């Protein structure tokens, strides 16, 4: 609880620390209110998270359904509330140089969401979600180091950003070191049994899935449509990438290389660790 409180306070104070003069901070309060509203709305995601992972669902399956649902919902809202086919979103198809970066952002988001789903399944929502939401620090690193968003901030604001970031890190460490007790594990098992009785699931198989041994690690051979999906998606990225235009943004390329290297190392280490323990089940 203390770790979660520290993360929340640090996140809020990081937002308020951006309220200063200049173009970036001129409407900072509105941005903070929007961010708080978004956090409350995103918090509702954890209801289906809990239902899915108490039943032992594979995070890969959950992310697939979740992503398709998001795309369908946003498309429906765009058609209904943003001018239908005349929406500015559809005008992006006439700007092929920009589409690649939007698709790339979505791809990185989904990969990150996969790790969050595994955290929610194996650590639980109470631990996994607060830890994964420290991605605010990653965004801070890109904003401050690559795009120079704090370049004109005074020393007081810089120290506020550094100080509250450290508090958020300490909060994350507190949560990550809070090992589940025997009573907590027992209550989790009782919740799984309750869900199994409610939906007619096999308790033993569900517990195996909870432990990362989904259905006894059955034959993992891929279907032909799995390869078709990968090839099609890759072809879309290659096509958009060939036509992409580098946006005219001022960036510190040195920090870009460093942060990308950190990202790739963490991706490889995290992916290998998950594969070795769960085989992505």
């Amino acid at each position: 609880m203390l770790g979660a409180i520290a993360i929340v306070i640090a996140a809020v104070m990081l937002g308020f620390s951006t309220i200063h003069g200049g173009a970036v901070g001129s409407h900072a309060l509105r941005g903070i209110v929007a961010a708080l509203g978004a956090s409350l709305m995103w918090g509702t995601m954890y209801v289906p998270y809990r239902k899915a992972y108490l039943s032992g669902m594979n995070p890969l399956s959950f992310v697939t359904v979740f992503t398709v649902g998001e795309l369908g919902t946003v498309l429906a809202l765009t058609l209904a509330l943003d001018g239908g086919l005349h929406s500015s979103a559809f005008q992006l198809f006439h700007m092929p140089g920009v589409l690649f970066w939007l698709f790339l952002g979505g791809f990185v988001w989904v990969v990150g969401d996969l790790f969050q789903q595994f955290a929610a399944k194996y650590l639980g929502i109470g631990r996994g979600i607060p830890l994964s939401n420290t991605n605010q620090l990653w965004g801070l690193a890109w904003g401050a180091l690559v795009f120079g968003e704090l370049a004109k901030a005074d020393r007081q604001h810089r120290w506020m950003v550094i100080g509250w970031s450290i508090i958020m890190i300490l909060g994350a460490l507190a949560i990550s070191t809070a090992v589940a007790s025997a009573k907590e594990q027992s209550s989790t098992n009782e919740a799984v049994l309750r869900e199994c009785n409610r939906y007619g699931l096999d308790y033993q198989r569900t517990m195996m899935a909870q432990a990362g041994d989904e259905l006894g690690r059955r034959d993992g051979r891929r279907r032909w449509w799995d390869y078709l999906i990968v090839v099609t998606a890759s072809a879309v990225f290659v096509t958009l990438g060939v036509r992409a235009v580098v946006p005219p943004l001022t960036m510190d390329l040195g920090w870009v290389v460093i942060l990308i290297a950190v990202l790739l190392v963490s991706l490889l280490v995290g992916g290998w660790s998950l594969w070795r323990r769960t085989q992505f089940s």
Side-chain angles (χ1 to χ4, degrees):
M1 289 179 64
L2 291 175
I5 292 172
I7 289 177
V8 171
I9 293 176
V12 172
M13 295 308 298
L14 273 174
F16 279 105
S17 70
T18 63
I19 299 181
H20 54 80
V24 174
S26 58
H27 300 290
L29 184 58
R30 299 179 187 177
I32 291 171
V33 172
L36 293 174
S39 68
L40 292 175
M41 290 302 299
W42 283 332
T44 61
M45 293 191 300
Y46 308 136
V47 176
Y49 278 25
R50 179 183 181 277
K51 301 295 285 188
Y53 293 131
L54 281 178
S55 66
M57 189 174 187
N58 189 319
L60 295 172
S61 301
F62 186 89
V63 169
T64 300
V65 177
F66 194 81
T67 303
V68 172
E70 283 186 314
L71 291 174
T73 301
V74 172
L75 177 60
L77 291 174
T78 300
L79 293 174
L81 304 176
D82 196 30
L85 295 177
H86 299 289
S87 168
S88 58
F90 291 103
Q91 303 305 314
L92 291 172
F93 289 102
H94 302 293
M95 305 169 63
V98 176
L99 276 178
F100 172 76
W101 305 107
L102 298 177
F103 272 69
L104 184 61
F107 173 78
V108 174
W109 182 88
V110 171
V111 173
D113 196 42
L114 277 173
F115 282 93
Q116 184 185 64
Q117 301 304 322
F118 279 103
K121 179 175 180 178
Y122 292 115
L123 283 179
I125 294 172
R127 290 178 177 81
I129 299 302
L131 288 174
S132 64
N133 282 341
T134 54
N135 62 0
Q136 298 168 84
L137 295 173
W138 186 243
L140 173 63
W142 279 89
L145 301 175
V146 175
F147 297 106
E149 292 181 355
L150 298 179
K152 295 183 179 181
D154 55 39
R155 180 176 297 180
Q156 178 185 355
H157 283 96
R158 291 185 182 181
W159 278 113
M160 286 180 66
V161 170
I162 294 173
W164 290 113
S165 298
I166 292 174
I167 290 177
M168 186 180 292
I169 293 172
L170 293 175
L173 289 174
I175 293 176
S176 63
T177 54
V179 180
S181 64
K183 288 185 177 180
E184 182 179 344
Q185 293 176 357
S186 176
S187 62
T188 299
N189 293 339
E190 291 174 1
V192 172
L193 179 59
R194 216 167 34 239
E195 297 297 300
C196 289
N197 293 334
R198 178 176 300 169
Y199 297 109
L201 302 173
D202 184 278
Y203 178 74
Q204 189 63 34
R205 297 173 72 181
T206 302
M207 290 305 298
M208 290 175 63
Q210 287 282 342
D213 192 14
E214 190 178 24
L215 303 184
R217 297 269 169 86
R218 59 186 176 186
D219 185 10
R221 288 180 298 178
R222 304 297 179 186
R223 306 283 187 174
W224 62 269
W225 54 77
D226 292 326
Y227 296 102
L228 178 62
I229 292 173
V230 172
V231 171
T232 303
S234 300
V236 170
F237 273 93
V238 171
T239 302
L240 294 177
V242 169
R243 305 171 67 184
V245 176
V246 178
L249 296 174
T250 301
M251 297 184 292
D252 189 322
L253 296 181
W255 278 111
V256 170
V257 173
I258 293 173
L259 292 180
I260 289 178
V262 172
L263 175 65
L264 292 176
V265 170
S266 62
L267 178 63
L268 292 173
V269 172
W272 169 248
S273 178
L274 275 175
W275 170 257
R276 189 175 60 180
R277 289 172 171 80
T278 70
Q279 292 190 6
F280 296 127
S281 61

